[in-house]
Amino acid sequence: MKKLTILAGIAVMALAACTKVDPMADSKQEVTFIVANYVQTKANVVYDTANHFGTYAWFTASDEALAITPAPDPAYSDHAAFMVNEEVSFATSVWKTTNQTFYWPKTGSLDFVSYSPFDGTSGTADSNPVVSKSAAHAYKLEYTASAAAGTAIAATDYMYADKVTCVNETQNTQAGNINIDNNADGSAYTGTQYSGVPTLFRHALAKVNFTVEPTFLSYVDPLDATKTTYWKVTVKELSLSGLYTEGTCELNWDTTTSAWLKPTTPANNVWTVTDGSAVTAAQNLVGDTPIVYQNSDATAAGYFVPGTTEATALNALTQAFVMPQLIVDGKQQLKLDIDIETTLANGNIIKENYTKTLDLYDILFDATSNPAPRIEMNKNLTYKIRIKPTAYYNTVDAPTDVIINFDPAVADWESESVNLNIIL
C-alpha cells in the first residue's frame, strides 16, 4: 500500500468526524472518502449518511510539489481524467463510489473536486454545479439559480468541497493511511492520519430566519412607584418579500491560498443576480395566529406569551435556502402589522395600530462598518426584530426618551382701544 499525503485544500479542518485507522496489508487500497459539513460556526458537522455526493478526480504521474526529478516523461498522464462525476454514497461503513471501485495508483497524485448533492447530469449545462478543468489545470465550479422560489434552488442544499490533492510521497510503503501534511495557512497536522479522502463541504446558498420580541411590556412610574403602565403587543403580520431568485455563481480554485475564490463582481460572497430576476412574493412569517405579548397571568386567545420579552422564532420561509445576494435599496422589504394596547397608570386604556413597510437596506445599511448589506454564502442568518411599544427617540429598552413633557407659555394680552361714548 501507499502512503498518501494531503497537500492542499483541507483548510481549517478539525474533522471531528474522521477516524484514525491502523495500517492495513491489502495490496490494493480502494479509494474512499471521509466527509464533513462546514457551517458558519466553523464547526464540522457529520454529513448525512443518507445523502449522496458527486466527485471528480484527475491523475498526474508525478507531483511537482515534491520536486520529483527527473521531470515526468510527457508520455505519462498529466491531470488525466480519473473519476468523472462518480456518485459517492455510504456503504459498509465507509464512503465510496457507488457504480464502480477505484484503487489508489502506485505513483503520482490525484486532485479531487466534490459537490453535493449528486447530480447525474453534472458536467452538462443543466447540472448544478458545472464542474470543469481548463487546459492550464484551473478548476472551476459554476452554479445557476432557478427562476422560482419554490423550485430546486430553494429546496436543495447545494454544497461544494475544497479541492484535495493526494500524493504518493513514497512508493510501496505499507502505511495504508492518508496523512494530512499542511493546513491552508501552512500549519502542519503532525502525524494526523485519516482513512479516506477528506471532503469538507461548504454551503453555496444561505439561510434566513427571523425572531420578534417587545423591548418592554411595563414601566414603573418614576414619580409614584405604586403606579405602572402596561402594554399589550399583538404581532399580526411580519411579511418578507423581494428576495432575488435568479443568478449565477462562479468559483475558481486558487492554488496560492488553497481555497475557492468567491465572486469578485459583486464581491462579499454573494451571487450575481440575473437582470430582471424574479423575486419572492410576500410571506407572512407570523402565520394565521397572531403572537400576543402582555403582562398578565390570564389566558389569552392566540399565541400568548405572558409577561415575557424573550425572542419568539417566526415561521420559516417557504424556501429552505436563499440565493446569496446584496441587499438593494427598495427591493427586499419587511411589512409590519402590529396592534398595541396601553393600560395607563391612571387606568385608562388606549388602542392603536402600527402598520409600516420597511426596506431591509435602510435597516442594515451602515456607511461606516457595513457599506454593503448582504446575505452571504454559507451563512445561516437570524434577524431579530425588536418592537418598542412606545414612540422611539434614542432609547430602546425604556420609554424614558419619550416621556410627555410640557412647554407652557402664556399668550400676551391683546391690547385694544375702544371709543365708547357713555351718556349718563
Side-chain angles (χ1 to χ4, degrees):
M1 273 197 278
K2 297 142 302 280
K3 182 179 180 183
L4 301 169
T5 303
I6 302 305
L7 289 182
I10 204 62
V12 301
M13 196 170 186
L15 284 174
C18 301
T19 304
K20 291 185 179 181
V21 297
D22 295 325
M24 300 176 293
D26 185 357
S27 61
K28 292 183 293 186
Q29 184 181 1
E30 183 179 350
V31 177
T32 60
F33 299 79
I34 49 176
V35 189
N37 181 8
Y38 184 88
V39 293
Q40 183 186 359
T41 58
K42 303 295 189 293
N44 291 293
V45 179
V46 177
Y47 186 82
D48 191 340
T49 55
N51 292 341
H52 295 192
F53 65 90
T55 195
Y56 289 75
W58 291 266
F59 172 72
T60 299
S62 67
D63 178 59
E64 297 173 1
L66 295 176
I68 293 175
T69 56
D73 190 305
Y76 300 124
S77 297
D78 181 22
H79 288 82
F82 186 82
M83 295 184 184
V84 180
N85 194 33
E86 289 293 332
E87 182 178 10
V88 179
S89 60
F90 191 74
T92 60
S93 76
V94 296
W95 290 94
K96 56 195 296 186
T97 49
T98 302
N99 296 317
Q100 69 178 89
T101 302
F102 291 85
Y103 300 97
W104 291 103
K106 185 179 292 294
T107 64
S109 63
L110 282 168
D111 286 349
F112 291 88
V113 174
S114 300
Y115 69 93
S116 176
F118 174 71
D119 184 345
T121 64
S122 188
T124 72
D126 296 328
S127 62
N128 233 346
V130 173
V131 181
S132 62
K133 180 187 74 65
S134 71
H137 310 151
Y139 299 100
K140 181 188 296 185
L141 300 175
E142 296 174 276
Y143 283 96
T144 304
S146 59
T151 54
I153 196 67
T156 303
D157 187 6
Y158 289 114
M159 294 189 288
Y160 57 95
D162 291 352
K163 181 186 80 69
V164 174
T165 299
C166 298
V167 179
N168 283 304
E169 186 175 2
T170 57
Q171 297 184 31
N172 304 319
T173 300
Q174 299 300 315
N177 295 319
I178 298 173
N179 289 339
I180 294 183
D181 223 17
N182 292 296
N183 209 341
D185 61 3
S187 60
Y189 287 101
T190 305
T192 304
Q193 296 183 322
Y194 299 98
S195 60
V197 177
T199 307
L200 176 62
F201 282 116
R202 305 173 191 272
H203 302 278
L205 299 176
K207 300 189 77 172
V208 175
N209 312 281
F210 288 87
T211 65
V212 64
E213 64 185 56
T215 60
F216 56 87
L217 290 171
S218 63
Y219 195 75
V220 176
D221 195 308
L223 300 177
D224 186 345
T226 65
K227 298 179 179 179
T228 302
T229 299
Y230 296 94
W231 289 268
K232 176 182 177 182
V233 177
T234 303
V235 183
K236 299 188 296 184
E237 179 181 358
L238 195 154
S239 294
L240 176 66
S241 63
L243 293 172
Y244 291 111
T245 60
E246 296 177 273
T248 58
C249 178
E250 179 179 301
L251 303 173
N252 293 278
W253 184 257
D254 180 52
T255 56
T256 302
T257 61
S258 295
W260 291 104
L261 291 181
K262 304 299 192 300
T264 55
T265 306
N268 302 316
N269 294 347
V270 298
W271 289 30
T272 300
V273 176
T274 302
D275 290 341
S277 169
V279 296
T280 56
Q283 300 176 50
N284 183 10
L285 304 181
V286 174
D288 297 330
T289 304
I291 302 174
V292 181
Y293 297 91
Q294 67 178 7
N295 259 314
S296 172
D297 293 329
T299 301
Y303 192 133
F304 181 57
V305 186
T308 182
T309 56
E310 295 181 359
T312 301
L314 298 175
N315 294 334
L317 292 169
T318 300
Q319 65 273 26
F321 304 98
V322 172
M323 187 181 81
Q325 57 196 267
L326 293 176
I327 303 299
V328 179
D329 192 8
K331 184 58 63 174
Q332 299 93 342
Q333 295 184 324
L334 286 173
K335 180 183 177 182
L336 305 175
D337 186 357
I338 301 168
D339 285 344
I340 300 173
E341 179 179 305
T342 306
T343 301
L344 303 170
N346 62 11
N348 292 334
I349 297 175
I350 62 169
K351 298 180 181 181
E352 57 185 313
N353 175 258
Y354 180 84
T355 303
K356 191 169 186 177
T357 299
L358 306 171
D359 278 357
L360 275 182
Y361 182 87
D362 294 334
I363 299 172
L364 300 176
F365 179 78
D366 184 336
T368 302
S369 61
N370 185 16
R374 57 204 178 271
I375 299 172
E376 296 186 54
M377 298 170 62
N378 203 60
K379 292 294 182 66
N380 185 1
L381 298 172
T382 297
Y383 294 108
K384 180 183 291 186
I385 299 173
R386 306 186 71 206
I387 301 169
K388 184 177 181 181
T390 64
Y392 169 76
Y393 178 61
N394 57 22
T395 301
V396 173
D397 296 317
T400 51
D401 58 330
V402 290
I403 292 175
I404 297 176
N405 296 316
F406 296 86
D407 188 7
V410 178
D412 196 8
W413 293 100
E414 296 181 10
S415 299
E416 183 177 356
S417 297
V418 178
N419 292 325
L420 179 62
N421 293 323
I422 299 176
I423 301 174
L424 299 176

